[in-house]
Amino acid sequence: MKSAINSGFKALTVSVLLMSVFGLAARAEVKELRMIEAGGPSGESVEKGYIEPFTAKTGIKVTRESPAGLGKLRAMVEAKNLTADVVELSSGELEQAKALDLVEKLDWDAIKPDPIFGEAKLDDGLGWQYYSTILAWRADAKPISTWEELWDVEKFPGKRALPDYPTYILPMALIADGVKPADLYPLDLDRAFAKLDKIKDHVAVWWQAGAQPPQLLKDNEVQYAVSWSGRVVDAENIDFTYNQGQLDLTYFAVPKGIAADRKAAVMQLMHEITVAKNQAVAAGVVAYTGPSEGLDALLPKDKLDTYPTVAKNKNVQFLMDPKWWYDHADEVEQRWQEFKLGL
């Protein structure tokens, strides 16, 4: 009996050793991952917040390139030549990627995420960074707090800068016209464009680059602007509010056809993205925030007002509906171009 036990123990020991050896060998096969991300301060936040702890734990290097975009993902998947293991996509791009069968399902059991917001945990994407589109104004202009007030050029005189992007401005036009954020979708396009007609003569610039709104405000070319939050929260002489802001997030996704060992390594990297203390490091690089529900307690107390997902800001904003925008992309684009011809 003792001999049988010893034999069994030896067999188990050998088995465990073999599993360990092969496990280490499997992990050792992946020496480097490649990531396509947006670049700039956002990319630096990925490096500091998530890649550095991942590499410290696994020894796997992560090489970043930018800019990101659906076109790069589609080209390498359709050519069956994957030059990246993880790709950053906007929420709208992720919808397109899913429809075109360009991304893998994520293995959430392998990711073992810490608690994160529901909209960040999708079958095909991990929402890693939140940003907002908000109201901003010169510090010497009359403060405003709602989209309805932005439309009120009598009480709040001054030129406006609005985004040349229907995904941002059409929901805001509807809220300015009295639609509750919870009732936005499906969007009433006729009502939204009719509301835009009422303010278009007061719009000095329809901006396309995120750097424009703060510069236009600084130069006093406009007094009020719609802006991406990260562009104005630390800007001098510019005030802002998250009230009625549109909250959105970008995702990391895995290209279709990735090798199993590389996908397993990416799942380990994605776990690091769900760790609140890592998100706090990333938020120290750029004033956008990660998906952790427990992040507020780790952020600087004197800067809580500047982050889009702290409870007091997240609760007064609304999320966009990327599926609706994907389904109605052609109709909206046609209506938007017709509207711009009338400017």
Side-chain angles (χ1 to χ4, degrees):
M1 182 67 180
K2 184 176 179 181
S3 175
I5 292 175
N6 284 340
S7 296
F9 177 75
K10 289 177 181 176
L12 177 62
T13 302
V14 171
S15 176
V16 169
L17 286 172
L18 286 173
M19 288 175 63
S20 300
V21 170
F22 284 125
L24 288 172
R27 287 196 293 273
E29 287 175 0
V30 180
K31 301 288 189 183
E32 178 184 8
L33 293 176
R34 291 158 299 183
M35 168 187 286
I36 300 178
E37 43 80 22
S42 177
E44 294 170 16
S45 75
V46 176
E47 184 75 37
K48 291 291 183 184
Y50 310 118
I51 291 177
E52 289 186 2
F54 168 73
T55 300
K57 287 182 179 178
T58 64
I60 300 173
K61 178 184 176 183
V62 180
T63 299
R64 297 184 289 119
E65 67 171 88
S66 60
L70 181 68
K72 286 187 176 180
L73 172 66
R74 185 171 186 174
M76 63 181 180
V77 172
E78 292 183 348
K80 300 186 185 303
N81 179 27
L82 301 187
T83 57
D85 305 288
V86 57
V87 179
E88 180 178 353
L89 298 171
S90 69
S91 57
E93 288 175 329
L94 181 60
E95 285 298 324
Q96 291 179 273
K98 289 157 56 178
L100 294 168
D101 196 27
L102 300 177
V103 289
E104 294 272 342
K105 297 289 185 185
L106 301 186
D107 185 348
W108 284 101
D109 290 337
I111 294 174
K112 296 183 174 62
D114 286 357
I116 58 176
F117 296 123
E119 65 269 9
K121 187 180 177 182
L122 303 184
D123 289 345
D124 313 86
L126 166 61
W128 75 280
Q129 187 182 64
Y130 284 76
Y131 67 98
S132 299
T133 309
I134 59 176
L135 271 169
W137 61 93
R138 285 178 55 84
D140 57 3
K142 187 177 181 180
I144 59 176
S145 60
T146 67
W147 299 118
E148 181 180 6
E149 290 178 347
L150 183 70
W151 256 253
D152 191 340
V153 296
E154 298 297 328
K155 289 184 179 179
F156 303 91
K159 288 294 183 181
R160 272 68 166 158
L162 302 186
D164 187 3
Y165 296 104
T167 48
Y168 299 114
I169 197 59
L170 292 181
M172 294 161 186
L174 286 169
I175 293 175
D177 203 41
V179 177
K180 295 180 180 178
D183 299 329
L184 275 174
Y185 293 95
L187 291 186
D188 185 337
L189 291 177
D190 290 338
R191 187 173 176 179
F193 279 105
K195 190 66 175 179
L196 277 183
D197 282 336
K198 295 180 180 178
I199 200 174
K200 64 183 183 183
D201 291 341
H202 301 275
V203 179
V205 177
W206 293 88
W207 59 262
Q208 293 186 324
Q212 288 179 269
Q215 191 63 50
L216 291 164
L217 290 167
K218 179 182 177 182
D219 295 343
N220 206 18
E221 292 189 38
V222 303
Q223 288 69 53
Y224 298 96
V226 177
S227 176
W228 288 324
S229 55
R231 298 286 186 169
V232 294
V233 293
D234 291 322
E236 291 184 4
N237 299 318
I238 295 177
D239 290 334
F240 63 90
T241 179
Y242 278 100
N243 188 46
Q244 296 184 341
Q246 178 168 271
L247 189 62
D248 198 2
L249 63 167
T250 57
Y251 290 84
F252 279 128
V254 178
K256 193 81 172 184
I258 189 174
D261 58 343
R262 304 190 71 82
K263 180 176 178 179
V266 172
M267 298 302 103
Q268 290 180 276
L269 174 59
M270 287 191 169
H271 170 78
E272 295 300 324
I273 295 171
T274 72
V275 176
K277 68 177 183 180
N278 293 343
Q279 295 167 30
V281 173
V285 179
V286 62
Y288 297 126
T289 39
S292 175
E293 300 176 26
L295 183 58
D296 293 21
L298 302 179
L299 296 172
K301 296 293 183 290
D302 61 337
K303 290 188 174 182
L304 280 181
D305 289 346
T306 67
Y307 295 109
T309 57
V310 296
K312 64 174 293 186
N313 291 336
K314 191 170 191 285
N315 293 340
V316 297
Q317 298 179 83
F318 64 94
L319 280 163
M320 72 174 303
D321 183 343
K323 182 67 166 57
W324 187 92
W325 286 103
Y326 173 76
D327 290 341
H328 297 82
D330 292 341
E331 178 186 6
V332 171
E333 179 62 20
Q334 181 178 345
R335 296 286 301 269
W336 185 248
Q337 294 305 325
E338 291 171 357
F339 169 75
K340 289 175 64 178
L341 287 174
L343 296 178

Short mmCIF file of all heavy atoms in Angstrom, two decimals, residues 5-21:
data_model
loop_
_atom_site.label_atom_id
_atom_site.label_comp_id
_atom_site.label_asym_id
_atom_site.label_seq_id
_atom_site.Cartn_x
_atom_site.Cartn_y
_atom_site.Cartn_z
N ILE A 5 1.20 4.17 -2.70
CA ILE A 5 1.05 5.62 -2.41
C ILE A 5 2.27 6.39 -2.91
O ILE A 5 2.16 7.45 -3.53
CB ILE A 5 0.86 5.83 -0.90
CG1 ILE A 5 -0.50 5.27 -0.47
CG2 ILE A 5 0.97 7.31 -0.54
CD1 ILE A 5 -0.74 5.32 1.01
N ASN A 6 3.47 5.80 -2.61
CA ASN A 6 4.68 6.47 -3.05
C ASN A 6 4.76 6.59 -4.57
O ASN A 6 5.16 7.62 -5.12
CB ASN A 6 5.91 5.71 -2.55
CG ASN A 6 6.15 5.96 -1.07
OD1 ASN A 6 5.66 6.94 -0.52
ND2 ASN A 6 6.86 5.06 -0.41
N SER A 7 4.31 5.50 -5.23
CA SER A 7 4.33 5.52 -6.70
C SER A 7 3.39 6.58 -7.24
O SER A 7 3.72 7.33 -8.17
CB SER A 7 3.93 4.13 -7.24
OG SER A 7 4.87 3.16 -6.86
N GLY A 8 2.19 6.63 -6.59
CA GLY A 8 1.23 7.64 -7.02
C GLY A 8 1.74 9.05 -6.78
O GLY A 8 1.60 9.95 -7.61
N PHE A 9 2.38 9.25 -5.60
CA PHE A 9 2.92 10.57 -5.28
C PHE A 9 3.99 10.98 -6.26
O PHE A 9 4.03 12.12 -6.74
CB PHE A 9 3.50 10.54 -3.86
CG PHE A 9 4.14 11.84 -3.46
CD1 PHE A 9 3.36 12.94 -3.13
CD2 PHE A 9 5.52 11.97 -3.42
CE1 PHE A 9 3.94 14.14 -2.77
CE2 PHE A 9 6.10 13.16 -3.07
CZ PHE A 9 5.32 14.26 -2.74
N LYS A 10 4.87 9.98 -6.59
CA LYS A 10 5.94 10.27 -7.55
C LYS A 10 5.36 10.64 -8.92
O LYS A 10 5.82 11.56 -9.58
CB LYS A 10 6.88 9.07 -7.69
CG LYS A 10 7.75 8.84 -6.45
CD LYS A 10 8.61 7.61 -6.62
CE LYS A 10 9.47 7.37 -5.38
NZ LYS A 10 10.24 6.12 -5.49
N ALA A 11 4.32 9.87 -9.31
CA ALA A 11 3.70 10.16 -10.61
C ALA A 11 3.09 11.54 -10.63
O ALA A 11 3.22 12.31 -11.60
CB ALA A 11 2.63 9.10 -10.92
N LEU A 12 2.41 11.88 -9.49
CA LEU A 12 1.80 13.20 -9.41
C LEU A 12 2.86 14.30 -9.44
O LEU A 12 2.70 15.33 -10.09
CB LEU A 12 0.98 13.30 -8.11
CG LEU A 12 0.31 14.66 -7.83
CD1 LEU A 12 -0.70 14.99 -8.95
CD2 LEU A 12 -0.39 14.64 -6.48
N THR A 13 3.96 14.03 -8.70
CA THR A 13 5.04 15.02 -8.66
C THR A 13 5.61 15.25 -10.05
O THR A 13 5.83 16.40 -10.48
CB THR A 13 6.16 14.54 -7.72
OG1 THR A 13 5.60 14.34 -6.43
CG2 THR A 13 7.28 15.57 -7.66
N VAL A 14 5.85 14.13 -10.76
CA VAL A 14 6.38 14.26 -12.12
C VAL A 14 5.41 15.02 -13.00
O VAL A 14 5.79 15.90 -13.79
CB VAL A 14 6.65 12.86 -12.71
CG1 VAL A 14 6.98 12.97 -14.20
CG2 VAL A 14 7.81 12.21 -11.96
N SER A 15 4.10 14.69 -12.82
CA SER A 15 3.08 15.36 -13.64
C SER A 15 3.07 16.86 -13.38
O SER A 15 3.03 17.68 -14.31
CB SER A 15 1.70 14.76 -13.32
OG SER A 15 0.70 15.45 -14.03
N VAL A 16 3.14 17.22 -12.06
CA VAL A 16 3.14 18.65 -11.72
C VAL A 16 4.35 19.34 -12.29
O VAL A 16 4.28 20.45 -12.83
CB VAL A 16 3.08 18.81 -10.18
CG1 VAL A 16 3.34 20.28 -9.80
CG2 VAL A 16 1.73 18.36 -9.66
N LEU A 17 5.51 18.64 -12.18
CA LEU A 17 6.74 19.23 -12.71
C LEU A 17 6.65 19.44 -14.22
O LEU A 17 7.04 20.49 -14.74
CB LEU A 17 7.93 18.32 -12.39
CG LEU A 17 8.40 18.35 -10.93
CD1 LEU A 17 9.45 17.28 -10.70
CD2 LEU A 17 8.95 19.74 -10.58
N LEU A 18 6.09 18.40 -14.90
CA LEU A 18 5.94 18.53 -16.35
C LEU A 18 5.01 19.68 -16.71
O LEU A 18 5.28 20.46 -17.62
CB LEU A 18 5.42 17.21 -16.93
CG LEU A 18 6.44 16.06 -16.99
CD1 LEU A 18 5.74 14.79 -17.42
CD2 LEU A 18 7.59 16.40 -17.92
N MET A 19 3.87 19.77 -15.94
CA MET A 19 2.93 20.86 -16.21
C MET A 19 3.61 22.20 -16.01
O MET A 19 3.41 23.15 -16.77
CB MET A 19 1.72 20.74 -15.29
CG MET A 19 0.80 19.58 -15.64
SD MET A 19 -0.53 19.40 -14.44
CE MET A 19 -1.38 20.93 -14.63
N SER A 20 4.44 22.27 -14.92
CA SER A 20 5.13 23.53 -14.66
C SER A 20 6.09 23.87 -15.78
O SER A 20 6.18 25.00 -16.25
CB SER A 20 5.88 23.44 -13.33
OG SER A 20 4.99 23.18 -12.27
N VAL A 21 6.86 22.84 -16.18
CA VAL A 21 7.84 23.06 -17.23
C VAL A 21 7.16 23.50 -18.52
O VAL A 21 7.54 24.48 -19.16
CB VAL A 21 8.67 21.78 -17.47
CG1 VAL A 21 9.50 21.94 -18.74
CG2 VAL A 21 9.56 21.52 -16.27
#
